[in-house]
Amino acid sequence: MSASNKSTEKKIIYCLNVTLSCTEDGSIGERELGLTWVPETIAELQDEVQDQFNIPVFDQKLTFGPTTLSSKESIQSYSLRSGDSITVEYTTEADVAVVLETITFLQKTLTFLESVEPQLHLFPISPELKASLQTEIDSVQLDEFSNAYSSANSPKRQIANALLCIKAGGLNLLQRLHSAILRLPFKVMPLQVQLLEIGMCRMMWTLSPHTETEAVVLEELKLDNVVQSLCRVTLVPKATISSPRNPYTEWMGDIQLKVVNMLIAASAGCLTWPSSWQDAKSSLTDIDPTPENNATRGESVNLKYSAALQISMLCASRNSLTTQYLQINELLEQFLSEADANEIHTYEVELGYVQERYIPYLRVAYMPFHAKKTVLACGSDPRYRNLQMMCIEAHVLFLQVILIGEQERKKMMDQGLMDYILCLPSVLPAGSRAQKRAKDLVAMLGKEMHLQPPSLISMARARLATTHFGLDRVLKAPVQELLSEVY
């Protein structure tokens, strides 16, 4: 190192010995936290731990000897001096640099788009502006950022990245950028802008499906904007745009289903269909394989399956329904009468799909038939009852699809949910198609694994779920408490 470099190098004036204790894998490491300044608060210390060790602030538990350090207190209040030792307990590291790059990208793109928005409303768009869009809007980079929050990482790191992004203002920026894009007419926008809208939806979807992020996303998400994208992003032939890193290929119809997935995770029944709702359910009818849309048989079946599954979950979660919802009866029934669990499972394996959560889907299969809170069960129109059965059957189909896989069967056992699978044939309406699927499912499981009959407690809970309380309540409350409310 040259003398000039040495003279300008900042000296470490505050240093702590840090024991890093990961609760996820039990690993313990020793590190030094060196600062060129003296922190005044524990919150400032936590920021440095995040920056130097990639451990998000929200996931840190700092202790100094037997004392847990509070972010609201000062360094001086704990007499914490340079050279002391602290312990940091955490669940998993996050990709802090990637998250901060994501936020920088969103802010830069938003600033640019707002600066050129008036010009984008003038048609035709000038060649100079098109060239500028090509340079400034990098939808490929956004797609790469999305990988940090999806299956490219372990589930724990996905959650850590998503929470860090949300808490650092990423969701707010994402929605501001999305709102700016929605002010532009989709069909006449350059491909870069169209792909950016698709990327926005994907990004919101990747932030939302975790238990730890659902509540935050629900509170902050502008659902009307997402529905608007759902209805205006249309199914077109595969479009390709080149980048210096890799070719970016996107089948635009696929984002419709990803957005529906995200809506289900975040809406909790507070969503209303827009006036153009007919477009939102088009995935069930308009994606048959043809030379025009370049869809394969597997893509077509899988998209219809996802649309049937998620739209039925949306119907099941609603506090009120209009007669528009009843129009999907025929579409659901047509698809379910032809759906083959093995075919769907084969295609999902090819795509590398991994399912981590089962309760939301099992919840619909155990939808109460007579509870007053269930709109599908108490609607005066008999078609409500039929729609309820279509919703239930769609989710029994989901259980058929995932439980073909050995790992998924093990997960279901580990989560203590297998008894509720085995009870399904006895609690679903006799003679219904949903019951037949449930019987086929149990028969398949019996061939693949050694099963014990469900316990009496589980059988009682399963019955109470479908007659009175729904699955969530019976999984949490003591059976005696549930029975006392019924009898």
Side-chain angles (χ1 to χ4, degrees):
M1 183 181 294
S2 67
S4 60
N5 285 339
K6 286 183 180 180
S7 63
T8 58
E9 186 181 71
K10 292 184 178 181
K11 293 184 178 181
I12 301 296
I13 62 173
Y14 188 90
C15 185
L16 293 175
N17 301 308
V18 180
T19 299
L20 300 177
S21 177
C22 179
T23 57
E24 181 181 23
D25 59 17
S27 62
I28 296 177
E30 302 293 336
R31 301 282 294 276
E32 282 191 356
L33 181 70
L35 305 178
T36 59
W37 54 287
V38 179
E40 295 182 357
T41 66
I42 299 300
E44 291 175 340
L45 193 61
Q46 288 181 303
D47 288 339
E48 286 296 328
V49 170
Q50 174 175 290
D51 292 345
Q52 296 193 30
F53 304 142
N54 290 326
I55 300 172
V57 169
F58 62 81
D59 193 27
Q60 298 174 18
K61 179 183 177 183
L62 273 60
T63 56
F64 178 39
T67 305
T68 299
L69 306 183
S70 170
S71 60
K72 299 178 181 179
E73 300 295 333
S74 66
I75 295 287
Q76 187 177 6
S77 66
Y78 294 109
S79 300
L80 192 59
R81 299 180 178 86
S82 182
D84 286 340
S85 298
I86 64 171
T87 298
V88 178
E89 291 185 17
Y90 66 100
T91 304
T92 188
E93 295 180 11
D95 299 307
V96 175
V98 174
V99 173
L100 296 180
E101 285 177 20
T102 302
I103 292 171
T104 300
F105 167 84
L106 293 172
Q107 183 62 70
K108 176 185 175 183
T109 306
L110 175 62
T111 301
F112 168 75
L113 199 61
E114 288 178 337
S115 70
V116 299
E117 183 178 345
Q119 302 173 56
L120 288 172
H121 288 281
L122 301 176
F123 305 108
I125 296 174
S126 68
E128 294 78 13
L129 180 55
K130 286 184 178 180
S132 182
L133 290 168
Q134 177 80 38
T135 303
E136 297 294 334
I137 294 183
D138 190 350
S139 53
V140 179
Q141 186 177 13
L142 182 61
D143 194 54
E144 292 173 352
F145 286 143
S146 293
N147 290 334
Y149 310 93
S150 62
S151 56
N153 268 316
S154 69
K156 291 290 186 182
R157 181 161 287 206
Q158 291 175 39
I159 295 168
N161 290 342
L163 282 171
L164 179 58
C165 183
I166 291 170
K167 291 178 182 293
L171 180 60
N172 178 266
L173 274 173
L174 196 63
Q175 294 192 100
R176 288 173 58 195
L177 179 56
H178 189 219
S179 296
I181 293 174
L182 285 174
R183 293 194 291 268
L184 305 172
F186 180 84
K187 292 185 178 179
V188 296
M189 282 298 102
L191 182 60
Q192 288 78 13
V193 179
Q194 291 182 341
L195 292 177
L196 184 63
E197 179 172 352
I198 292 170
M200 294 290 99
C201 294
R202 181 190 297 106
M203 189 74 178
M204 286 185 279
W205 175 67
T206 56
L207 290 176
S208 69
H210 312 292
T211 303
E212 293 82 353
T213 59
E214 277 182 0
V216 181
V217 174
L218 172 60
E219 182 178 345
E220 299 186 17
L221 192 66
K222 296 178 181 177
L223 291 173
D224 289 345
N225 284 357
V226 179
V227 174
Q228 188 176 339
S229 273
L230 171 66
C231 294
R232 79 179 199 156
V233 175
T234 54
L235 180 67
V236 299
K238 291 184 179 180
T240 303
I241 180 171
S242 297
S243 98
R245 293 177 294 282
N246 59 280
Y248 177 94
T249 302
E250 176 63 50
W251 188 24
M252 294 186 182
D254 181 57
I255 192 58
Q256 290 182 314
L257 302 176
K258 291 185 176 181
V259 172
V260 173
N261 265 299
M262 187 275 299
L263 286 171
I264 299 308
S267 67
C270 65
L271 180 68
T272 56
W273 286 112
S275 58
S276 55
W277 82 280
Q278 182 76 21
D279 296 333
K281 67 185 181 65
S282 64
S283 293
L284 282 170
T285 55
D286 297 338
I287 51 178
D288 289 319
T290 66
E292 287 74 27
N293 67 28
N294 202 24
T296 66
R297 162 73 182 178
E299 288 171 330
S300 174
V301 170
N302 188 261
L303 286 171
K304 287 185 177 182
Y305 164 65
S306 297
L309 191 66
Q310 306 305 342
I311 289 176
S312 64
M313 187 182 286
L314 181 59
C315 290
S317 69
R318 296 288 295 139
N319 294 323
S320 62
L321 292 174
T322 67
T323 54
Q324 289 176 321
Y325 283 87
L326 300 177
Q327 297 177 43
I328 68 172
N329 264 334
E330 183 179 346
L331 295 173
L332 282 172
E333 188 161 9
Q334 179 180 351
F335 171 70
L336 291 170
S337 66
E338 303 169 352
D340 180 84
N342 286 292
E343 180 181 21
I344 297 169
H345 175 76
T346 299
Y347 187 70
E348 291 199 336
V349 169
E350 291 176 1
L351 293 179
Y353 284 172
V354 177
Q355 183 65 42
E356 297 291 341
R357 301 182 61 204
Y358 307 112
I359 290 290
Y361 304 93
L362 198 57
R363 179 190 297 135
V364 178
Y366 272 94
M367 190 192 313
F369 295 114
H370 307 296
K372 292 182 180 179
K373 293 181 180 179
T374 307
V375 174
L376 290 176
C378 63
S380 57
D381 192 317
R383 289 178 297 173
Y384 280 107
R385 172 67 170 181
N386 187 50
L387 180 55
Q388 181 185 26
M389 292 311 303
M390 292 299 102
C391 292
I392 291 172
E393 184 185 350
H395 287 76
V396 176
L397 171 63
F398 166 81
L399 296 170
Q400 283 184 299
V401 171
I402 62 166
L403 291 175
I404 291 173
E406 182 179 354
Q407 291 299 318
E408 282 68 27
R409 294 195 294 268
K410 184 178 184 303
K411 290 178 186 176
M412 194 73 78
M413 291 287 290
D414 293 343
Q415 295 179 25
L417 298 174
M418 190 59 77
D419 272 6
Y420 295 94
I421 303 295
L422 302 181
C423 287
L424 275 174
S426 65
V427 298
L428 293 176
S432 66
R433 207 163 59 191
Q435 187 198 44
K436 182 181 184 304
R437 280 195 181 276
K439 287 182 176 179
D440 292 344
L441 171 59
V442 171
M444 182 272 290
L445 292 173
K447 293 178 182 178
E448 298 294 334
M449 56 195 305
H450 180 67
L451 293 172
Q452 297 293 329
S455 68
L456 292 176
I457 293 292
S458 295
M459 293 173 66
R461 289 182 183 276
R463 178 62 62 181
L464 290 169
T466 55
T467 57
H468 291 85
F469 301 109
L471 187 64
D472 289 336
R473 176 80 188 283
V474 302
L475 288 177
K476 297 175 182 177
V479 173
Q480 293 83 354
E481 176 185 320
L482 299 173
L483 290 173
S484 67
E485 293 184 29
V486 175
Y487 301 105

